[in-house]
């Protein structure tokens, strides 16, 4: 991820939230197991932004302390509150500033990126959604007229600005304003509209909390798609061969007097790992994707199979978090080769070596591996929906 140190975020959370009811202002009420404002902070951190400043009511210092972020006290108006934060930032001015309602905890990294992206072209940008419902005027429970909705938008936050421009706009501002876009426009700044999101709601009424809880729960469920797959494979040793032969194991040619038999290069460890990936994806096994009856795979490099499984995981939106392979044999000795094996597997899977394990065990001279009739391999892989 590119660095975002040049962007500061002001979270405006000084309101008393009188429309919500309850003793606690809405930004401090629990949502998804933590305070609303803590969710909002987490949303910006998830977008790679770490320079955050809170605007709070002086009475709320105790609520804000656990967040461990710099705080300024809000003024009598929203504009005054934002101004206090801009003044605090001006000691070490960022290039860009995003100003966001603390009570919009469901803002996504994609939305934040759209606002920041638009600031490459202009001094100000803000998300909004076009009004789609018909608009009426009414009094006393009766419709008294209609209003055209064309060209009308529902404004959202974060509203993004070049820092110097919005600071100057605020310093020139005399009265309160609905939001920072109004202040920017009063100062003659052009404001680009970027696409808002229906789920970027501002918690205002008690029913908004229930909706936000449901959205968070759904996102968490989607974000928590973690899968573990296992694989197992066996190859028998072929007849003793001349010097210079080797067993292909986890991508490394390990010198041994008896090579492994198989249709492909018989890399038993890589086959087990490939099957672990297919298993995590519920995508069958290596024999289904590369039938041993198909002559084109005769003598094939097993890296082809592993690469296919890795590509399939990627296309399905998973990243490989970890893989672990165990080779079971009396001979050849595996220990001296495990670092080379981990490096080879990690390279094929596009992982750092620290996420790939290869280890070995004997079977105490018991069973077919103990009698040195062949080598068995077990593998486990963990995949996470990216
Ligand atoms: Mg095999």
């Amino acid at each position: 991820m590119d660095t975002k140190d040049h962007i500061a975020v002001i979270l405006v959370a000084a309101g008393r939230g009188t429309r919500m009811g309850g003793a606690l202002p809405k930004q401090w009420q629990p949502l998804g197991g933590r305070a609303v404002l803590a969710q909002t902070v987490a949303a910006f951190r998830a977008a790679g932004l770490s320079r955050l400043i809170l605007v709070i009511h002086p009475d709320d210092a105790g609520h804000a302390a656990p967040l461990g972020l710099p705080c300024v006290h809000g003024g009598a108006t929203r504009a005054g509150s934002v101004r206090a934060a801009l003044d605090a930032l001006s000691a070490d001015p960022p290039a860009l500033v995003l100003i966001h309602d603390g009570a919009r905890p469901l803002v996504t990294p994609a939305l934040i990126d759209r606002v920041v992206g638009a600031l490459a072209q202009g001094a100000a940008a803000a998300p909004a959604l076009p009004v789609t419902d018909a608009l009426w005027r009414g009094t006393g429970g009766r419709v008294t007229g209609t209003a055209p909705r064309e060209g009308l938008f529902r404004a959202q936050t974060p509203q993004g600005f070049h820092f110097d421009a919005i600071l100057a706009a605020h310093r020139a501002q005399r009265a309160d304003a609905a939001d920072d876009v109004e202040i920017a426009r009063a100062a003659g700044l052009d404001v680009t509209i970027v696409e808002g999101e229906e789920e970027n709601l501002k918690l205002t009424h008690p029913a908004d909390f229930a909706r936000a809880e449901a959205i968070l729960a759904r996102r968490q469920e989607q974000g928590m798609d973690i899968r573990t797959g296992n694989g197992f494979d066996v190859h028998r040793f072929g007849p003793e061969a001349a010097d210079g032969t080797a067993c292909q194991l986890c991508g490394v040619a390990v010198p041994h007097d008896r090579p492994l038999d198989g249709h492909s290069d018989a890399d038993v460890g890589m086959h087990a790992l490939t099957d672990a990936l297919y298993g995590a994806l519920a995508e069958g096994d290596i024999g289904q994707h590369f039938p041993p009856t198909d002559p084109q795979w005769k003598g094939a490099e097993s890296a082809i199979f592993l690469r296919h499984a890795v590509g399939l995981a990627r296309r399905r939106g998973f990243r490989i978090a970890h893989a672990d392979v165990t080779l079971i044999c009396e001979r050849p000795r595996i220990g001296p080769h495990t670092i080379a094996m981990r490096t080879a597997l990690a390279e094929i899977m596009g992982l750092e070596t620290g996420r790939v394990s290869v280890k070995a065990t004997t079977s105490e001279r018991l069973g077919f591996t103990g009698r040195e009739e062949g080598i068995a391999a077990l593998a486990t892989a963990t995949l996470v929906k990216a």
Side-chain angles (χ1 to χ4, degrees), residues 234-235 237 256 258 327-332 361-376:
V234 172
H235 280 260
F237 283 120
H256 192 51
R258 296 172 67 193
L327 297 168
I328 306 166
C329 60
E330 304 292 329
R331 288 189 315 136
T361 183
T362 71
S363 55
E364 300 273 336
R365 300 226 148 262
L366 298 172
F368 69 88
T369 51
R371 292 188 298 271
E372 297 192 39
E373 293 166 5
I375 298 181

Side-chain angles (χ1 to χ4, degrees), residues 120-160:
Q121 312 298 328
L129 288 168
V131 171
T132 51
D133 293 327
L135 295 177
W136 298 337
R137 293 181 203 288
T139 352
R142 295 176 62 131
V143 177
T144 57
T146 58
R149 66 179 172 229
E150 285 68 36
L152 290 183
F153 288 84
R154 291 183 284 142
Q156 297 188 339
T157 69
Q159 299 179 348

Side-chain angles (χ1 to χ4, degrees), residues 233-235 267-268 271 286:
D233 196 28
V234 172
H235 280 260
D267 189 331
V268 63
H271 293 181
I286 202 166

Side-chain angles (χ1 to χ4, degrees), residues 6 41 86 103 190 198 247 263 278 286 295:
H6 63 297
V41 166
L86 291 170
D190 258 348
E198 211 53 69
C247 296
H263 190 68
Y278 288 137
I286 202 166

Side-chain angles (χ1 to χ4, degrees), residues 102-303:
R104 287 189 197 266
L106 300 177
V107 61
T108 62
L111 175 54
I112 292 168
D113 283 351
R114 284 201 290 279
V115 174
V116 171
L119 292 177
Q121 312 298 328
L129 288 168
V131 171
T132 51
D133 293 327
L135 295 177
W136 298 337
R137 293 181 203 288
T139 352
R142 295 176 62 131
V143 177
T144 57
T146 58
R149 66 179 172 229
E150 285 68 36
L152 290 183
F153 288 84
R154 291 183 284 142
Q156 297 188 339
T157 69
Q159 299 179 348
F161 307 94
H162 288 210
F163 181 78
D164 293 343
I166 194 67
L167 179 64
H170 265 270
R171 286 182 174 167
Q173 174 79 6
R174 302 254 166 243
D176 193 20
D179 60 11
D180 300 285
V181 163
E182 188 180 335
I183 291 169
R185 293 197 66 255
L189 297 179
D190 258 348
V191 182
T192 306
I193 299 174
V194 305
E195 193 189 348
E197 289 177 1
E198 211 53 69
E199 291 188 351
N200 182 27
L201 63 148
K202 185 175 182 180
L203 302 184
T204 308
H205 302 289
D208 299 334
F209 269 72
R211 192 174 156 213
E213 288 276 6
I215 292 168
L216 273 178
R218 191 204 72 222
R219 287 184 186 174
Q220 200 159 20
E221 208 170 281
Q222 285 173 343
M224 294 288 281
D225 196 348
I226 297 173
R227 291 151 173 234
T228 304
N230 73 68
F232 177 72
D233 196 28
V234 172
H235 280 260
R236 66 169 69 241
F237 283 120
E240 245 178 80
D243 279 0
T245 62
C247 296
Q248 192 70 16
L249 292 169
C250 295
V252 174
V254 178
H256 192 51
D257 50 6
R258 296 172 67 193
L260 288 171
D261 249 0
H263 190 68
S264 64
D265 67 7
D267 189 331
V268 63
M270 208 179 286
H271 293 181
L273 176 56
T274 304
D275 265 353
L277 295 181
Y278 288 137
L281 298 167
E283 283 280 0
D285 59 35
I286 202 166
Q288 275 170 254
H289 294 282
F290 301 94
T293 48
D294 187 337
Q296 69 169 308
W297 308 123
K298 184 155 176 54
E301 251 192 80
S302 297

